[in-house]
Amino acid sequence: MEDKPKKFSIGKFLKALSREIIVPIVLALIVIQYVIQAFQIPSESMEKSLHTGDFLLGLKFTYGSPIPFTNQHFPGYTEPKPGDVVIFRYPGEPEYPDNNPARYTHLFNALMFGNFYWDHEPEDGQPHLVHYADGPKDYIKRCVAVSGDTVAIHEGRLYINGVKQDTIPGRGQWTATFRTKSSPRDERETFVVPSVGDTFAIDTMPLEKLWWLRSIILQENPDSHVEMEISLLRDGVEDNNFEFSDFKVPVESERGMLLNAMFTRNRTVVQKRLTQGDTVSGAMSFSYFRELAKIGFLPLLDPHAKGGFTRQVSYVGFEGSILRDLEGNVAMLNAPAVVDSAAAVDSASATPVDTAQASLQADTAQVAQSQPRLEIRRRILVDGKPIDSYVIKTPLFFMMGDNRDNSADSRYWGFVTLRNIRAKASVIYFSFENDDQAFSFGNPFTWWRIPFRIRWSRIGKFIPLI
């Protein structure tokens, strides 16, 4: 006797659909939101502790899971400690497009496809939907100092509370053979990582450290629009179009943006190979630095592009050392000429050469005295209103890559706030070596290499690896 076919039941169908698809998806989203974060090592900044091609799992709840649809976090059971390998939101680019939270609303994170935002004030011909495909980026570095710690870098070596650190960092695969005092990679004067409650006066801070403070304010106030405004006074009169006729820039990797602008402005053709530690000079306008400090992030794509279902945005940040170069050049112009007293000779015994040298030095001093006196005024604006001082609200952390001579880290862009911390790196769940790019998903003829490219010995390793 044949079984009768069962009648279709919408109730049973929905129950099965919920059990097999909806519930697993919801559980996966809960885990992704509150428990773990997957991360791939994209660069060599953590070599040889972590390799390019390592795939990690980070624990979110360790430092506090994010609260949905807010900029807040649930309390974690600990804070980052020196030695922890930490995944965090890179503070060197905007969290919202154009650094404008009032104009844009974050819709959702599409994981590997980036973030989507709603533009409430699109230009004519632009769509409302904005796709931030490559950001805000997550970085992974080792926490080397926390609030209250004293930090210094000398000849590329890290000192914490006056003690040279031989293991954190220091296991990098590449070490520079040439050191220079003008690069944050090699030299940072002693400073203290700020603590909660520390107050900073805006108008007395060096420009580079003010740039770091601006980053802290942005991280601690994600729903506010924060700008840094600098102005140049020439003999007390504002002159933001002042031209430096001989602006000097040290040749360092972090000065690439400034060097390119200088070469383009002066239409300079480099006649010799430039190396780390060289200095180049040329004409530069103060307005270049003023605009950079104000916008903070340079768009890599045309912000006025029209058409399409979405508008694409992408940004690159600039390093605060550019502002240090600006202050240094202003100080050089303001420095008085020093006349060597030994060169001042008695007219009765002076030779014609002695008299000529003394006259030249006197003329030089007179020209220096006639140079205009330059002063840089600075201020921070939060939602369009200037502030005189700022009080630190959250714990701060100083991050460095283990491959210290090949790492863009806190030495360049400053501190990471607790709010920007995403997860504590925990375990390597997969590792794939493809430095020579011999494997490609787009080329099926290379797929046979997959088993031979997996780093089997690294799978399951726990972090930190020191």
Side-chain angles (χ1 to χ4, degrees), residues 20-35:
E20 302 296 336
I21 298 178
I22 297 177
V23 171
I25 289 177
V26 170
L27 290 176
L29 291 175
I30 291 174
V31 169
I32 291 172
Q33 175 72 24
Y34 298 108
V35 183

Side-chain angles (χ1 to χ4, degrees), residues 244 246-248 324-334:
F244 295 90
D246 190 30
F247 193 94
K248 293 178 171 54
R324 181 168 59 175
D325 295 333
L326 172 62
E327 271 191 320
N329 276 271
V330 168
M332 283 190 290
L333 288 178
N334 286 337

Side-chain angles (χ1 to χ4, degrees), residues 63-64 73 78-80 219-220 394-397 416-422:
Y63 305 134
H73 285 73
T78 188
E79 294 179 356
Q219 294 177 66
E220 293 188 338
T394 59
L396 302 179
F397 307 92
V416 178
T417 69
L418 185 60
R419 183 191 165 273
N420 270 43
I421 302 293
R422 302 291 291 263

